[in-house]
Amino acid sequence: MQPVLKSTKLANVCYDIRGPVMARAYQMEEEGHRIIKLNIGNPAVFGFEAPDEIVRDVIHNLPNAAGYIESKGLFAARKAIMHYTQEKQIPDVQVGDIYIGNGVSELIVMTMGALLDSDDEVLVPAPDYPLWTAAVSLAGGTPRHYICDEGAGWLPDLNDIRAKITSATRAIVVINPNNPTGALYPVELLRELVEIARTHQLIIYADEIYDKVLYDGAAHTSIASLAEDVLFLTFNGLSKNYRACGYRAGWVVVSGEKRHARDYIEGLDILASMRLCANVPAQYAIQTALGGYQSIDDLVAPSGRLCKQRDLAHDILTRSPV
C-alpha cells in the first residue's frame, strides 16, 4: 500500500510545547516517574483553580448551552468584552468587532489563515510563544523573527524589526506582557511599534493574555489604545488571568483602521462561521469573569502566592552557579 503522508503544509510547523519533549514526559510517567511540567502554562496542575463564581455560572447555564449560537459568540459575553476594551481605552470597539473562540490558540490560527497567502511574511518576536510561528507557517506564510534583547530587559530591538521588513511583510506580532520572557513593554516602545506599523501599513497582532499578571505596581497599556489609523487585532481570554485554561474561552478584538480591512474581516467571518461557534458553556463565564471580583490581584500582590513563587524562583535561579 502507498504510505499516507502528512500535508506538505506541515513541513515547517513546529509546536514544541506539545512536541517530542512532551511525548517523552508521558513515556516517563508511564514508567513510574513523577514529572513536573513547567512548559505549558497549565495553572490547574499546580492547584490554581478558577474562581468559584465563574464555575457556578457555567454550571447554572448548562441547560441553556446545548445549542449552536451566533458564530462570533454570545452577545452578553461580547458586550462584557467590549466594556473591557473601554477600560483599556481601545477606541471605537463595537460588539460586532469581537470574535469568541475555543481559546486564543484557535483564534491565532484563524486570523493567520484569513490573512496570509504563500510567501507573505509576519514579524514574530524571538523568543516567542511558539504557536505564533506555527500558525504563520501553517497558513502558508513565512515567520520573520525579530530580536527581543536579553541585555535590554528582553525588549524588542526596533532596528532589527525595521531591518527585517520587506515588501512581503503583512503584520507584526506583539506579545505584551511577553510569553516567555515576562517583559512588560513601556508605552514609549509601544508607540515606536505603532509608528513602524503605520509607516509600513502593517497589521498589529497584540497577544495580551497575561495583561493582569503584573507585579510591583506595574501597569499594562494595550497597544491598540495608542492609535486609530492602524489595524489591530487584540487577543485575550480566561486561561491565565482567571486560571480557566481548560474552559477554552478566548477572544479577539478588531479595532483601529477597519475601513480598509473589510475584505479581511469578511475572511474572519467566513472562518468563524465554518466552525459554527465556539464552545458555549465556557462563554457563560466571560461576563462574570470580567465584571466580577478580580482575584488575580490577590495572587500577584506581595503576599499572594504567585508573587511569592516568583520571588522564590528568582532567588533560586539567581543563586544557581549554572
Side-chain angles (χ1 to χ4, degrees), residues 273-322:
S273 298
M274 284 172 62
R275 40 131 221 199
L276 294 176
C277 65
N279 84 87
V280 179
Q283 293 188 44
Y284 282 102
I286 293 174
Q287 185 177 24
T288 298
L290 293 179
Y293 181 73
Q294 301 301 300
S295 55
I296 186 64
D297 294 339
D298 298 331
L299 290 170
V300 300
S303 59
R305 180 181 167 189
L306 277 176
C307 188
K308 288 181 176 179
Q309 290 185 182
R310 179 204 66 162
D311 293 343
L312 177 61
H314 181 269
D315 179 59
I316 292 173
L317 291 171
T318 301
R319 288 189 286 108
S320 172
V322 180

mmCIF file of all heavy atoms in Angstrom, residues 273-322:
data_model
loop_
_atom_site.group_PDB
_atom_site.id
_atom_site.type_symbol
_atom_site.label_atom_id
_atom_site.label_comp_id
_atom_site.label_asym_id
_atom_site.label_seq_id
_atom_site.Cartn_x
_atom_site.Cartn_y
_atom_site.Cartn_z
ATOM 1 N N SER A 273 -17.681 31.271 10.865
ATOM 2 C CA SER A 273 -18.928 30.575 10.541
ATOM 3 C C SER A 273 -18.688 29.098 10.248
ATOM 4 O O SER A 273 -19.528 28.247 10.564
ATOM 5 C CB SER A 273 -19.599 31.233 9.334
ATOM 6 O OG SER A 273 -19.952 32.571 9.615
ATOM 7 N N MET A 274 -17.538 28.782 9.656
ATOM 8 C CA MET A 274 -17.263 27.393 9.295
ATOM 9 C C MET A 274 -17.188 26.472 10.504
ATOM 10 O O MET A 274 -17.489 25.282 10.417
ATOM 11 C CB MET A 274 -15.953 27.317 8.494
ATOM 12 C CG MET A 274 -16.086 27.790 7.063
ATOM 13 S SD MET A 274 -14.487 27.897 6.209
ATOM 14 C CE MET A 274 -13.963 26.180 6.247
ATOM 15 N N ARG A 275 -16.783 26.998 11.675
ATOM 16 C CA ARG A 275 -16.757 26.143 12.865
ATOM 17 C C ARG A 275 -18.058 26.268 13.651
ATOM 18 O O ARG A 275 -18.153 25.797 14.780
ATOM 19 C CB ARG A 275 -15.551 26.471 13.736
ATOM 20 C CG ARG A 275 -15.279 27.968 13.824
ATOM 21 C CD ARG A 275 -15.081 28.428 15.216
ATOM 22 N NE ARG A 275 -15.759 29.696 15.349
ATOM 23 C CZ ARG A 275 -15.513 30.573 16.301
ATOM 24 N NH1 ARG A 275 -14.586 30.329 17.170
ATOM 25 N NH2 ARG A 275 -16.182 31.693 16.376
ATOM 26 N N LEU A 276 -19.061 26.935 13.049
ATOM 27 C CA LEU A 276 -20.389 27.163 13.608
ATOM 28 C C LEU A 276 -20.329 28.090 14.811
ATOM 29 O O LEU A 276 -20.863 29.191 14.785
ATOM 30 C CB LEU A 276 -21.094 25.856 13.953
ATOM 31 C CG LEU A 276 -21.444 24.978 12.749
ATOM 32 C CD1 LEU A 276 -22.044 23.659 13.193
ATOM 33 C CD2 LEU A 276 -22.399 25.702 11.812
ATOM 34 N N CYS A 277 -19.650 27.667 15.895
ATOM 35 C CA CYS A 277 -19.475 28.566 17.041
ATOM 36 C C CYS A 277 -18.441 27.955 17.960
ATOM 37 O O CYS A 277 -18.120 26.772 17.868
ATOM 38 C CB CYS A 277 -20.796 28.800 17.791
ATOM 39 S SG CYS A 277 -21.481 27.322 18.581
ATOM 40 N N ALA A 278 -17.926 28.788 18.850
ATOM 41 C CA ALA A 278 -17.040 28.274 19.897
ATOM 42 C C ALA A 278 -17.879 27.578 20.964
ATOM 43 O O ALA A 278 -19.101 27.741 21.025
ATOM 44 C CB ALA A 278 -16.247 29.423 20.511
ATOM 45 N N ASN A 279 -17.208 26.797 21.830
ATOM 46 C CA ASN A 279 -17.959 26.058 22.850
ATOM 47 C C ASN A 279 -18.766 27.033 23.705
ATOM 48 O O ASN A 279 -18.273 28.081 24.139
ATOM 49 C CB ASN A 279 -17.015 25.192 23.685
ATOM 50 C CG ASN A 279 -16.361 25.928 24.822
ATOM 51 O OD1 ASN A 279 -16.925 26.023 25.914
ATOM 52 N ND2 ASN A 279 -15.169 26.449 24.584
ATOM 53 N N VAL A 280 -20.024 26.676 23.908
ATOM 54 C CA VAL A 280 -20.968 27.613 24.522
ATOM 55 C C VAL A 280 -20.874 27.659 26.048
ATOM 56 O O VAL A 280 -20.918 28.739 26.631
ATOM 57 C CB VAL A 280 -22.412 27.293 24.065
ATOM 58 C CG1 VAL A 280 -23.415 28.253 24.711
ATOM 59 C CG2 VAL A 280 -22.515 27.362 22.544
ATOM 60 N N PRO A 281 -20.750 26.527 26.766
ATOM 61 C CA PRO A 281 -20.754 26.613 28.231
ATOM 62 C C PRO A 281 -19.738 27.601 28.786
ATOM 63 O O PRO A 281 -20.058 28.394 29.686
ATOM 64 C CB PRO A 281 -20.450 25.172 28.663
ATOM 65 C CG PRO A 281 -20.994 24.333 27.565
ATOM 66 C CD PRO A 281 -20.703 25.116 26.310
ATOM 67 N N ALA A 282 -18.513 27.595 28.253
ATOM 68 C CA ALA A 282 -17.474 28.477 28.794
ATOM 69 C C ALA A 282 -17.768 29.939 28.530
ATOM 70 O O ALA A 282 -17.288 30.812 29.267
ATOM 71 C CB ALA A 282 -16.118 28.104 28.215
ATOM 72 N N GLN A 283 -18.542 30.238 27.494
ATOM 73 C CA GLN A 283 -18.838 31.639 27.200
ATOM 74 C C GLN A 283 -19.681 32.276 28.301
ATOM 75 O O GLN A 283 -19.645 33.501 28.483
ATOM 76 C CB GLN A 283 -19.547 31.761 25.853
ATOM 77 C CG GLN A 283 -18.662 31.371 24.681
ATOM 78 C CD GLN A 283 -19.281 31.680 23.345
ATOM 79 O OE1 GLN A 283 -19.860 32.755 23.137
ATOM 80 N NE2 GLN A 283 -19.183 30.740 22.410
ATOM 81 N N TYR A 284 -20.416 31.453 29.039
ATOM 82 C CA TYR A 284 -21.200 31.985 30.155
ATOM 83 C C TYR A 284 -20.306 32.428 31.317
ATOM 84 O O TYR A 284 -20.779 33.089 32.248
ATOM 85 C CB TYR A 284 -22.221 30.956 30.634
ATOM 86 C CG TYR A 284 -23.432 30.867 29.736
ATOM 87 C CD1 TYR A 284 -23.571 29.828 28.828
ATOM 88 C CD2 TYR A 284 -24.425 31.844 29.785
ATOM 89 C CE1 TYR A 284 -24.686 29.752 27.994
ATOM 90 C CE2 TYR A 284 -25.530 31.782 28.951
ATOM 91 C CZ TYR A 284 -25.647 30.734 28.062
ATOM 92 O OH TYR A 284 -26.754 30.676 27.227
ATOM 93 N N ALA A 285 -19.032 32.082 31.282
ATOM 94 C CA ALA A 285 -18.109 32.519 32.329
ATOM 95 C C ALA A 285 -17.534 33.902 32.059
ATOM 96 O O ALA A 285 -17.023 34.553 32.979
ATOM 97 C CB ALA A 285 -16.962 31.513 32.458
ATOM 98 N N ILE A 286 -17.600 34.361 30.817
ATOM 99 C CA ILE A 286 -16.855 35.561 30.441
ATOM 100 C C ILE A 286 -17.397 36.812 31.113
ATOM 101 O O ILE A 286 -16.632 37.612 31.672
ATOM 102 C CB ILE A 286 -16.841 35.710 28.909
ATOM 103 C CG1 ILE A 286 -16.018 34.572 28.293
ATOM 104 C CG2 ILE A 286 -16.281 37.076 28.502
ATOM 105 C CD1 ILE A 286 -16.058 34.528 26.776
ATOM 106 N N GLN A 287 -18.690 37.004 31.082
ATOM 107 C CA GLN A 287 -19.268 38.215 31.679
ATOM 108 C C GLN A 287 -18.980 38.269 33.172
ATOM 109 O O GLN A 287 -18.589 39.318 33.709
ATOM 110 C CB GLN A 287 -20.773 38.250 31.431
ATOM 111 C CG GLN A 287 -21.439 39.529 31.918
ATOM 112 C CD GLN A 287 -22.924 39.566 31.591
ATOM 113 O OE1 GLN A 287 -23.558 38.534 31.404
ATOM 114 N NE2 GLN A 287 -23.491 40.757 31.511
ATOM 115 N N THR A 288 -19.139 37.141 33.853
ATOM 116 C CA THR A 288 -18.860 37.099 35.292
ATOM 117 C C THR A 288 -17.384 37.352 35.572
ATOM 118 O O THR A 288 -17.025 38.089 36.498
ATOM 119 C CB THR A 288 -19.270 35.726 35.862
ATOM 120 O OG1 THR A 288 -20.679 35.552 35.680
ATOM 121 C CG2 THR A 288 -18.940 35.625 37.335
ATOM 122 N N ALA A 289 -16.505 36.753 34.751
ATOM 123 C CA ALA A 289 -15.072 36.922 34.965
ATOM 124 C C ALA A 289 -14.662 38.380 34.837
ATOM 125 O O ALA A 289 -13.985 38.933 35.715
ATOM 126 C CB ALA A 289 -14.298 36.060 33.968
ATOM 127 N N LEU A 290 -15.067 39.019 33.755
ATOM 128 C CA LEU A 290 -14.615 40.387 33.515
ATOM 129 C C LEU A 290 -15.280 41.391 34.448
ATOM 130 O O LEU A 290 -14.674 42.411 34.787
ATOM 131 C CB LEU A 290 -14.895 40.763 32.049
ATOM 132 C CG LEU A 290 -14.078 39.995 31.006
ATOM 133 C CD1 LEU A 290 -14.459 40.440 29.601
ATOM 134 C CD2 LEU A 290 -12.586 40.179 31.226
ATOM 135 N N GLY A 291 -16.504 41.115 34.855
ATOM 136 C CA GLY A 291 -17.221 42.078 35.694
ATOM 137 C C GLY A 291 -17.172 41.790 37.171
ATOM 138 O O GLY A 291 -17.598 42.611 37.985
ATOM 139 N N GLY A 292 -16.631 40.626 37.552
ATOM 140 C CA GLY A 292 -16.631 40.231 38.949
ATOM 141 C C GLY A 292 -15.360 40.603 39.686
ATOM 142 O O GLY A 292 -14.522 41.370 39.194
ATOM 143 N N TYR A 293 -15.216 40.017 40.856
ATOM 144 C CA TYR A 293 -14.041 40.261 41.686
ATOM 145 C C TYR A 293 -12.796 39.725 40.988
ATOM 146 O O TYR A 293 -12.765 38.581 40.528
ATOM 147 C CB TYR A 293 -14.217 39.585 43.043
ATOM 148 C CG TYR A 293 -13.062 39.810 43.989
ATOM 149 C CD1 TYR A 293 -12.883 41.049 44.590
ATOM 150 C CD2 TYR A 293 -12.157 38.793 44.272
ATOM 151 C CE1 TYR A 293 -11.818 41.265 45.459
ATOM 152 C CE2 TYR A 293 -11.102 38.994 45.141
ATOM 153 C CZ TYR A 293 -10.938 40.233 45.729
ATOM 154 O OH TYR A 293 -9.890 40.445 46.582
ATOM 155 N N GLN A 294 -11.761 40.543 40.918
ATOM 156 C CA GLN A 294 -10.545 40.167 40.199
ATOM 157 C C GLN A 294 -9.549 39.516 41.171
ATOM 158 O O GLN A 294 -8.638 40.151 41.694
ATOM 159 C CB GLN A 294 -9.940 41.395 39.520
ATOM 160 C CG GLN A 294 -10.874 42.078 38.525
ATOM 161 C CD GLN A 294 -11.300 41.145 37.402
ATOM 162 O OE1 GLN A 294 -10.472 40.638 36.664
ATOM 163 N NE2 GLN A 294 -12.604 40.932 37.274
ATOM 164 N N SER A 295 -9.733 38.221 41.381
ATOM 165 C CA SER A 295 -8.906 37.509 42.354
ATOM 166 C C SER A 295 -7.445 37.433 41.935
ATOM 167 O O SER A 295 -6.568 37.189 42.779
ATOM 168 C CB SER A 295 -9.456 36.097 42.580
ATOM 169 O OG SER A 295 -9.577 35.406 41.343
ATOM 170 N N ILE A 296 -7.146 37.659 40.660
ATOM 171 C CA ILE A 296 -5.760 37.677 40.222
ATOM 172 C C ILE A 296 -4.967 38.761 40.968
ATOM 173 O O ILE A 296 -3.768 38.604 41.210
ATOM 174 C CB ILE A 296 -5.667 37.891 38.688
ATOM 175 C CG1 ILE A 296 -4.235 37.764 38.190
ATOM 176 C CG2 ILE A 296 -6.267 39.231 38.293
ATOM 177 C CD1 ILE A 296 -3.631 36.407 38.354
ATOM 178 N N ASP A 297 -5.647 39.846 41.351
ATOM 179 C CA ASP A 297 -4.960 40.925 42.068
ATOM 180 C C ASP A 297 -4.410 40.440 43.402
ATOM 181 O O ASP A 297 -3.336 40.883 43.839
ATOM 182 C CB ASP A 297 -5.919 42.102 42.294
ATOM 183 C CG ASP A 297 -6.327 42.778 40.995
ATOM 184 O OD1 ASP A 297 -5.607 42.619 39.990
ATOM 185 O OD2 ASP A 297 -7.373 43.461 40.982
ATOM 186 N N ASP A 298 -5.136 39.533 44.055
ATOM 187 C CA ASP A 298 -4.653 38.971 45.316
ATOM 188 C C ASP A 298 -3.433 38.079 45.088
ATOM 189 O O ASP A 298 -2.490 38.065 45.889
ATOM 190 C CB ASP A 298 -5.758 38.163 45.996
ATOM 191 C CG ASP A 298 -6.956 39.012 46.361
ATOM 192 O OD1 ASP A 298 -6.774 40.226 46.611
ATOM 193 O OD2 ASP A 298 -8.076 38.478 46.382
ATOM 194 N N LEU A 299 -3.464 37.329 43.997
ATOM 195 C CA LEU A 299 -2.379 36.383 43.727
ATOM 196 C C LEU A 299 -1.065 37.085 43.389
ATOM 197 O O LEU A 299 0.012 36.556 43.688
ATOM 198 C CB LEU A 299 -2.776 35.447 42.592
ATOM 199 C CG LEU A 299 -3.878 34.436 42.917
ATOM 200 C CD1 LEU A 299 -4.358 33.740 41.641
ATOM 201 C CD2 LEU A 299 -3.391 33.409 43.926
ATOM 202 N N VAL A 300 -1.148 38.257 42.742
ATOM 203 C CA VAL A 300 0.087 38.954 42.340
ATOM 204 C C VAL A 300 0.523 39.998 43.361
ATOM 205 O O VAL A 300 1.587 40.611 43.204
ATOM 206 C CB VAL A 300 -0.077 39.616 40.943
ATOM 207 C CG1 VAL A 300 -0.382 38.568 39.890
ATOM 208 C CG2 VAL A 300 -1.144 40.706 40.960
ATOM 209 N N ALA A 301 -0.265 40.207 44.399
ATOM 210 C CA ALA A 301 0.128 41.124 45.474
ATOM 211 C C ALA A 301 1.339 40.553 46.218
ATOM 212 O O ALA A 301 1.618 39.353 46.142
ATOM 213 C CB ALA A 301 -1.040 41.338 46.433
ATOM 214 N N PRO A 302 2.084 41.400 46.947
ATOM 215 C CA PRO A 302 3.283 40.906 47.651
ATOM 216 C C PRO A 302 3.031 39.698 48.541
ATOM 217 O O PRO A 302 3.920 38.859 48.716
ATOM 218 C CB PRO A 302 3.721 42.129 48.458
ATOM 219 C CG PRO A 302 3.242 43.300 47.655
ATOM 220 C CD PRO A 302 1.926 42.862 47.064
ATOM 221 N N SER A 303 1.816 39.602 49.095
ATOM 222 C CA SER A 303 1.505 38.467 49.964
ATOM 223 C C SER A 303 0.864 37.317 49.203
ATOM 224 O O SER A 303 0.531 36.289 49.794
ATOM 225 C CB SER A 303 0.547 38.920 51.077
ATOM 226 O OG SER A 303 -0.662 39.438 50.517
ATOM 227 N N GLY A 304 0.667 37.460 47.890
ATOM 228 C CA GLY A 304 -0.034 36.456 47.106
ATOM 229 C C GLY A 304 0.875 35.319 46.667
ATOM 230 O O GLY A 304 2.100 35.447 46.595
ATOM 231 N N ARG A 305 0.246 34.207 46.350
ATOM 232 C CA ARG A 305 1.011 33.007 46.018
ATOM 233 C C ARG A 305 1.860 33.189 44.761
ATOM 234 O O ARG A 305 3.024 32.774 44.734
ATOM 235 C CB ARG A 305 0.053 31.824 45.834
ATOM 236 C CG ARG A 305 0.791 30.540 45.492
ATOM 237 C CD ARG A 305 -0.137 29.363 45.274
ATOM 238 N NE ARG A 305 0.603 28.264 44.645
ATOM 239 C CZ ARG A 305 0.039 27.167 44.170
ATOM 240 N NH1 ARG A 305 -1.277 27.013 44.271
ATOM 241 N NH2 ARG A 305 0.772 26.223 43.608
ATOM 242 N N LEU A 306 1.318 33.800 43.731
ATOM 243 C CA LEU A 306 2.095 33.970 42.501
ATOM 244 C C LEU A 306 3.318 34.844 42.742
ATOM 245 O O LEU A 306 4.409 34.545 42.243
ATOM 246 C CB LEU A 306 1.222 34.585 41.400
ATOM 247 C CG LEU A 306 0.332 33.622 40.613
ATOM 248 C CD1 LEU A 306 -0.538 34.405 39.632
ATOM 249 C CD2 LEU A 306 1.157 32.580 39.864
ATOM 250 N N CYS A 307 3.148 35.908 43.501
ATOM 251 C CA CYS A 307 4.272 36.804 43.773
ATOM 252 C C CYS A 307 5.330 36.097 44.618
ATOM 253 O O CYS A 307 6.535 36.201 44.340
ATOM 254 C CB CYS A 307 3.782 38.068 44.468
ATOM 255 S SG CYS A 307 5.049 39.339 44.645
ATOM 256 N N LYS A 308 4.906 35.362 45.627
ATOM 257 C CA LYS A 308 5.861 34.648 46.469
ATOM 258 C C LYS A 308 6.629 33.608 45.655
ATOM 259 O O LYS A 308 7.844 33.439 45.820
ATOM 260 C CB LYS A 308 5.131 33.973 47.635
ATOM 261 C CG LYS A 308 4.633 34.942 48.702
ATOM 262 C CD LYS A 308 3.952 34.194 49.828
ATOM 263 C CE LYS A 308 3.528 35.131 50.946
ATOM 264 N NZ LYS A 308 2.847 34.401 52.037
ATOM 265 N N GLN A 309 5.919 32.904 44.767
ATOM 266 C CA GLN A 309 6.592 31.897 43.949
ATOM 267 C C GLN A 309 7.539 32.545 42.948
ATOM 268 O O GLN A 309 8.614 32.008 42.657
ATOM 269 C CB GLN A 309 5.551 31.020 43.239
ATOM 270 C CG GLN A 309 4.812 30.115 44.200
ATOM 271 C CD GLN A 309 3.858 29.142 43.526
ATOM 272 O OE1 GLN A 309 3.183 28.382 44.187
ATOM 273 N NE2 GLN A 309 3.795 29.172 42.212
ATOM 274 N N ARG A 310 7.147 33.691 42.412
ATOM 275 C CA ARG A 310 8.057 34.414 41.526
ATOM 276 C C ARG A 310 9.336 34.784 42.250
ATOM 277 O O ARG A 310 10.451 34.574 41.751
ATOM 278 C CB ARG A 310 7.384 35.678 40.999
ATOM 279 C CG ARG A 310 8.282 36.506 40.097
ATOM 280 C CD ARG A 310 7.892 37.959 40.041
ATOM 281 N NE ARG A 310 8.074 38.644 41.309
ATOM 282 C CZ ARG A 310 8.142 39.974 41.431
ATOM 283 N NH1 ARG A 310 8.044 40.746 40.363
ATOM 284 N NH2 ARG A 310 8.293 40.533 42.621
ATOM 285 N N ASP A 311 9.187 35.348 43.453
ATOM 286 C CA ASP A 311 10.358 35.786 44.213
ATOM 287 C C ASP A 311 11.253 34.610 44.573
ATOM 288 O O ASP A 311 12.495 34.707 44.501
ATOM 289 C CB ASP A 311 9.912 36.518 45.482
ATOM 290 C CG ASP A 311 9.224 37.839 45.172
ATOM 291 O OD1 ASP A 311 9.381 38.336 44.042
ATOM 292 O OD2 ASP A 311 8.515 38.365 46.054
ATOM 293 N N LEU A 312 10.639 33.486 44.951
ATOM 294 C CA LEU A 312 11.417 32.302 45.314
ATOM 295 C C LEU A 312 12.174 31.774 44.093
ATOM 296 O O LEU A 312 13.372 31.455 44.173
ATOM 297 C CB LEU A 312 10.501 31.223 45.881
ATOM 298 C CG LEU A 312 11.175 29.898 46.249
ATOM 299 C CD1 LEU A 312 12.235 30.104 47.325
ATOM 300 C CD2 LEU A 312 10.130 28.880 46.708
ATOM 301 N N ALA A 313 11.495 31.676 42.967
ATOM 302 C CA ALA A 313 12.134 31.176 41.748
ATOM 303 C C ALA A 313 13.281 32.092 41.324
ATOM 304 O O ALA A 313 14.370 31.627 40.954
ATOM 305 C CB ALA A 313 11.111 31.057 40.629
ATOM 306 N N HIS A 314 13.053 33.398 41.413
ATOM 307 C CA HIS A 314 14.094 34.351 41.039
ATOM 308 C C HIS A 314 15.310 34.210 41.955
ATOM 309 O O HIS A 314 16.461 34.227 41.495
ATOM 310 C CB HIS A 314 13.542 35.774 41.093
ATOM 311 C CG HIS A 314 14.545 36.819 40.699
ATOM 312 N ND1 HIS A 314 15.358 37.441 41.632
ATOM 313 C CD2 HIS A 314 14.872 37.343 39.495
ATOM 314 C CE1 HIS A 314 16.141 38.301 41.010
ATOM 315 N NE2 HIS A 314 15.865 38.265 39.712
ATOM 316 N N ASP A 315 15.048 34.043 43.244
ATOM 317 C CA ASP A 315 16.147 33.918 44.204
ATOM 318 C C ASP A 315 16.960 32.652 43.942
ATOM 319 O O ASP A 315 18.203 32.684 43.923
ATOM 320 C CB ASP A 315 15.575 33.897 45.625
ATOM 321 C CG ASP A 315 16.665 33.755 46.685
ATOM 322 O OD1 ASP A 315 17.556 34.625 46.742
ATOM 323 O OD2 ASP A 315 16.633 32.770 47.432
ATOM 324 N N ILE A 316 16.288 31.528 43.713
ATOM 325 C CA ILE A 316 16.989 30.257 43.486
ATOM 326 C C ILE A 316 17.790 30.311 42.193
ATOM 327 O O ILE A 316 18.960 29.894 42.153
ATOM 328 C CB ILE A 316 15.969 29.103 43.445
ATOM 329 C CG1 ILE A 316 15.351 28.895 44.837
ATOM 330 C CG2 ILE A 316 16.631 27.815 42.955
ATOM 331 C CD1 ILE A 316 14.217 27.903 44.871
ATOM 332 N N LEU A 317 17.169 30.854 41.118
ATOM 333 C CA LEU A 317 17.870 30.909 39.845
ATOM 334 C C LEU A 317 19.055 31.874 39.897
ATOM 335 O O LEU A 317 20.109 31.624 39.279
ATOM 336 C CB LEU A 317 16.891 31.325 38.746
ATOM 337 C CG LEU A 317 15.815 30.286 38.390
ATOM 338 C CD1 LEU A 317 14.779 30.888 37.460
ATOM 339 C CD2 LEU A 317 16.443 29.051 37.758
ATOM 340 N N THR A 318 18.882 32.975 40.630
ATOM 341 C CA THR A 318 19.968 33.963 40.735
ATOM 342 C C THR A 318 21.162 33.382 41.479
ATOM 343 O O THR A 318 22.314 33.660 41.131
ATOM 344 C CB THR A 318 19.458 35.231 41.438
ATOM 345 O OG1 THR A 318 18.368 35.783 40.694
ATOM 346 C CG2 THR A 318 20.556 36.268 41.537
ATOM 347 N N ARG A 319 20.894 32.568 42.485
ATOM 348 C CA ARG A 319 21.975 31.986 43.285
ATOM 349 C C ARG A 319 22.589 30.751 42.643
ATOM 350 O O ARG A 319 23.643 30.293 43.057
ATOM 351 C CB ARG A 319 21.454 31.625 44.676
ATOM 352 C CG ARG A 319 21.174 32.838 45.562
ATOM 353 C CD ARG A 319 20.875 32.453 46.991
ATOM 354 N NE ARG A 319 19.543 31.875 47.156
ATOM 355 C CZ ARG A 319 19.297 30.599 47.393
ATOM 356 N NH1 ARG A 319 20.316 29.733 47.456
ATOM 357 N NH2 ARG A 319 18.062 30.150 47.537
ATOM 358 N N SER A 320 21.924 30.213 41.614
ATOM 359 C CA SER A 320 22.423 29.000 40.985
ATOM 360 C C SER A 320 23.714 29.296 40.221
ATOM 361 O O SER A 320 23.815 30.270 39.473
ATOM 362 C CB SER A 320 21.390 28.447 40.002
ATOM 363 O OG SER A 320 21.918 27.379 39.249
ATOM 364 N N PRO A 321 24.740 28.466 40.374
ATOM 365 C CA PRO A 321 26.013 28.695 39.653
ATOM 366 C C PRO A 321 25.921 28.348 38.181
ATOM 367 O O PRO A 321 26.814 28.681 37.410
ATOM 368 C CB PRO A 321 26.978 27.769 40.389
ATOM 369 C CG PRO A 321 26.118 26.669 40.922
ATOM 370 C CD PRO A 321 24.803 27.308 41.282
ATOM 371 N N VAL A 322 24.888 27.628 37.768
ATOM 372 C CA VAL A 322 24.778 27.202 36.368
ATOM 373 C C VAL A 322 24.226 28.304 35.492
ATOM 374 O O VAL A 322 23.256 28.957 35.857
ATOM 375 C CB VAL A 322 23.844 25.954 36.264
ATOM 376 C CG1 VAL A 322 23.744 25.515 34.797
ATOM 377 C CG2 VAL A 322 24.384 24.830 37.132
#
